[in-house]
Amino acid sequence: MMDCLTLIGKNVKNVTLVAALMTSVAFSANAMSAEIDTDGDGMASFAELQVSYPELTEEVFGDIDTNGDGFVDDEEMTIAVELGNLADPETDS
């Protein structure tokens, strides 16, 4: 059986982890810059991404577009940058 201090310690650790993840998501929500999302719909088409990433292939775009809707949203963009599939538009522009 866990003692009270161990339980409190685990709860503090969980709260800290959740706060860190939420902060990360808040900052990564800006992954899609206006330079990429030229029509302002909050998503990037293959053509829009190719302007900033001319080396982008349809195959890599398909890998990035994880939900298969034909567009890359902020979450997909963030994941692509984190995985190294795309350069970070904030630091490598």
Side-chain angles (χ1 to χ4, degrees):
M1 184 169 197
M2 263 189 256
D3 65 27
C4 187
L5 290 176
T6 302
L7 185 57
I8 291 171
K10 287 187 179 228
N11 284 337
V12 169
K13 183 178 179 182
N14 289 341
V15 168
T16 303
L17 179 60
V18 168
L21 287 171
M22 290 181 73
T23 301
S24 173
V25 169
F27 283 115
S28 66
N30 297 319
M32 189 78 59
S33 71
E35 291 175 3
I36 294 172
D37 179 20
T38 56
D39 63 6
D41 65 356
M43 299 178 288
S45 66
F46 177 66
E48 285 174 312
L49 277 175
Q50 270 199 312
V51 172
S52 295
Y53 302 98
E55 72 286 351
L56 182 67
T57 65
E58 287 187 36
E59 181 179 357
V60 173
F61 181 84
D63 291 342
I64 294 168
D65 177 21
T66 57
N67 64 6
D69 66 355
F71 298 95
V72 173
D73 60 27
D74 279 338
E75 183 180 353
E76 291 167 325
M77 182 77 171
T78 299
I79 292 168
V81 169
E82 288 175 358
L83 293 176
N85 292 329
L86 292 177
D88 187 340
E90 297 295 316
T91 60
D92 295 333
S93 36

